[in-house]
Amino acid sequence: MKKWLCCMLLIALSAAIFLPAVLAATEVKLIVDGEKVAFPDESPYVDRTSHRTMVPARFVSEMLGADMTWERKLKQLTVLYQDKTILFIAGENAAQVNGKSVLLDTPAVIKNNRMMLPLRSMGEIFQVQVEWIGKRDPVIITTSPKIPKGTWIWDSSIIEQEQEEILSFASKHDVNAIYLHINRDLAPKVYQDFVRSAKEKQISVEALAGRPEWGLKANQEPIQKFMDWVLQYNASATSNERFDGFHFDIEPYLLAEWKTNPTTVLEQWIHNLRFIEAEAKGSGLKITLDVPYWLNNFKVPGTSYSLSAWMLEKFDGLVIMNYRNHALGKNGIIDNAKAMLREATLLNKQVIVAVETAKNTESDRTSFYSKSVDFMEQELQTAHQHFSPYASYAGMAIHDYKSWSMMVGRLTH
């Protein structure tokens, strides 16, 4: 009897040893951006101990295009993704993201010589949407869509020494348009080299200028000088070195006269915009204006027509200076932009929605300066998803390159 009991115990112990390999996990199916994902070697599974979905690390690199380095002896994996360096160590319940500890909902493990990572934590770290519909249904994963972005460069002198750095940053952060302030003291060759290199990376460059005073009739001369310089530059440059358009940042509502007599200033602003339209006629260059999000509340004097709709009729597009650091809610990015997006859709014109990253003493809610890059990206993604149904929506813009790159630098150093 004792021998029989011993044999039964041995069998039970053997089962305890081998059962986890067989029963500890249930395979799951993943659908990424509408397509079922095939796993040639190790498949995702739900761990029955932690009840967490585990995915092979290779899936992360293939899904997101991240670069990975595997240290077999140390049992650690380093992932380079955008501005993040993420370190996973088998058995550890935290990952290191740019040197900071981030808790995982369950540790990374080694299974059949493959590192397996918790999917829920991957969604948070890599900012992808993960949806568990049901126990038997596939897991639905939606990768964050790339948001086309523009950015301003006000100090154009940096393009000579920092060209490679600027364009590398732009490519990494999905920038498809740079609004470059024109400093006529710079040699044309500097602009030619920068514009040519930008276009090689599919980044357009618009000639930027403007001051609040340009909204007054007395200041048409500097407007004309700026436009003449751009037209002469384009005439002497090759096709891949030319600016794609004029970009005006004229904000006469910042003038003292706006407070005392806004209608008069408004009339002069409209007069100068008509002047710009006439000067650019036949040039083939598009014209884009930076405007505040509340512009649609002002009417063209003597009419019931909104000033923003009038500008959209006259020019190719507007960049809404929608300086808020939250997407949802009243007076948020989405709420503030909808009126002009509707106007632009009816007029078949384009609107870009811009946010601020520079330090701003006006209000805590006007800039992402004090927020993290990840937080800003999440808010932009939320706004982007709400704006995408509008035919007029052409992406986001970040003001400006200097403060944005410094913000990213605070994360990576």
Side-chain angles (χ1 to χ4, degrees):
M1 178 65 72
K2 288 182 179 179
K3 288 184 178 180
W4 181 81
L5 286 172
C6 287
C7 288
M8 291 301 292
L9 285 170
L10 286 170
I11 292 170
L13 287 170
S14 298
I17 293 170
F18 290 106
L19 273 175
V22 178
L23 299 177
T26 301
E27 287 191 13
V28 295
K29 297 177 181 178
L30 302 184
I31 293 179
V32 179
D33 294 334
E35 295 186 9
K36 184 178 177 181
V37 180
F39 294 87
D41 41 31
E42 200 60 41
S43 297
Y45 64 89
V46 176
D47 183 85
R48 290 192 177 180
T49 301
S50 64
H51 305 291
R52 293 292 185 256
T53 301
M54 308 295 288
V55 296
R58 180 179 175 185
F59 166 70
V60 174
S61 67
E62 292 179 349
M63 180 180 74
L64 300 173
D67 295 322
M68 300 195 312
T69 303
W70 167 242
E71 297 286 347
R72 185 180 298 275
K73 291 182 179 180
L74 299 174
K75 294 184 179 180
Q76 67 181 34
L77 177 76
T78 302
V79 180
L80 300 178
Y81 177 66
Q82 294 182 352
D83 297 313
K84 297 178 180 177
T85 300
I86 307 111
L87 176 66
F88 300 99
I89 301 176
E92 296 285 338
N93 64 355
Q96 299 297 314
V97 181
N98 291 332
K100 296 181 180 179
S101 183
V102 175
L103 287 177
L104 304 174
D105 52 356
T106 193
V109 298
I110 305 296
K111 184 173 183 282
N112 296 333
N113 294 319
R114 294 286 188 272
M115 178 169 270
M116 308 297 291
L117 306 173
L119 181 58
R120 186 183 298 277
S121 295
M122 295 307 95
E124 294 170 357
I125 292 173
F126 294 100
Q127 296 180 342
V128 298
Q129 298 177 22
V130 182
E131 184 178 4
W132 284 264
I133 298 175
K135 290 184 178 180
R136 295 185 179 181
D137 297 318
V139 179
I140 308 298
I141 299 173
T142 305
T143 60
S144 298
K146 289 186 176 182
I147 304 173
K149 300 183 183 82
T151 194
W152 290 257
I153 294 180
W154 288 102
D155 180 8
S156 51
S157 65
I158 66 173
I159 67 172
E160 187 170 15
Q161 302 298 325
E162 301 175 28
Q163 174 179 297
E164 186 175 341
E165 181 182 344
I166 293 167
L167 296 180
S168 176
F169 179 93
S171 295
K172 186 180 290 186
H173 294 87
D174 304 319
V175 171
N176 68 344
I178 291 175
Y179 319 136
L180 180 61
H181 187 255
I182 298 304
N183 176 356
R184 295 198 294 273
D185 291 334
L186 281 180
K189 185 181 184 306
V190 175
Y191 291 106
Q192 290 167 357
D193 290 343
F194 183 82
V195 173
R196 183 176 61 252
S197 297
K199 290 190 175 183
E200 287 173 359
K201 294 180 178 292
Q202 286 72 56
I203 300 171
S204 68
V205 183
E206 299 174 15
L208 167 67
R211 297 178 62 84
E213 305 87 74
W214 285 19
L216 302 178
K217 285 184 181 179
N219 292 296
Q220 280 189 8
E221 184 178 352
I223 297 174
Q224 182 154 32
K225 285 183 177 179
F226 160 68
M227 296 184 74
D228 287 345
W229 186 94
V230 174
L231 292 172
Q232 290 170 14
Y233 166 89
N234 269 16
S236 61
T238 60
S239 59
N240 62 341
E241 296 170 345
R242 293 171 187 155
F243 290 107
D244 295 293
F246 292 107
H247 194 110
F248 288 95
D249 188 308
I250 304 171
E251 302 180 53
Y253 45 84
L254 299 177
L255 297 171
E257 294 93 323
W258 181 270
K259 293 180 180 179
T260 57
N261 198 342
T263 301
T264 299
V265 175
L266 198 57
E267 290 172 342
Q268 294 187 66
W269 189 9
I270 289 172
H271 178 86
N272 282 5
L273 290 176
R274 286 195 172 109
F275 173 77
I276 288 170
E277 180 190 26
E279 289 297 303
K281 191 173 182 179
S283 68
L285 292 176
K286 68 176 185 177
I287 301 175
T288 303
L289 308 178
D290 296 337
V291 298
Y293 69 87
W294 43 259
L295 192 69
N296 63 295
N297 294 322
F298 280 80
K299 307 299 181 185
V300 175
T303 77
S304 59
Y305 207 47
S306 79
L307 186 57
S308 53
W310 181 88
M311 288 182 179
L312 283 164
E313 277 195 343
K314 290 285 183 185
F315 304 107
D316 297 283
L318 303 179
V319 176
I320 305 174
M321 295 181 286
N322 194 356
Y323 293 170
R324 293 293 181 268
N325 60 16
H326 57 283
L328 299 171
K330 187 176 171 126
N331 201 20
I333 297 169
I334 297 167
D335 186 44
N336 289 342
K338 282 184 175 179
M340 277 193 232
L341 282 165
R342 286 193 289 265
E343 288 179 340
T345 298
L346 290 172
L347 294 168
N348 196 29
K349 294 296 178 70
Q350 288 193 330
V351 165
I352 293 169
V353 181
V355 297
E356 178 70 273
T357 59
K359 191 172 184 178
N360 194 322
T361 56
E362 179 186 338
S363 169
D364 289 340
R365 66 186 181 184
T366 58
S367 175
F368 284 101
Y369 175 81
S370 61
K371 306 293 185 181
S372 70
V373 174
D374 286 349
F375 177 83
M376 182 175 77
E377 189 62 31
Q378 288 170 4
E379 295 303 293
L380 295 185
Q381 286 290 347
T382 299
H384 178 73
Q385 290 170 12
H386 279 77
F387 294 150
S388 292
Y390 290 91
S392 58
Y393 172 64
M396 310 287 289
I398 315 294
H399 187 269
D400 60 357
Y401 165 74
K402 181 180 179 181
S403 56
W404 184 14
S405 59
M406 288 176 65
M407 184 181 180
V408 171
R410 292 199 299 269
L411 172 71
T412 56
H413 292 88

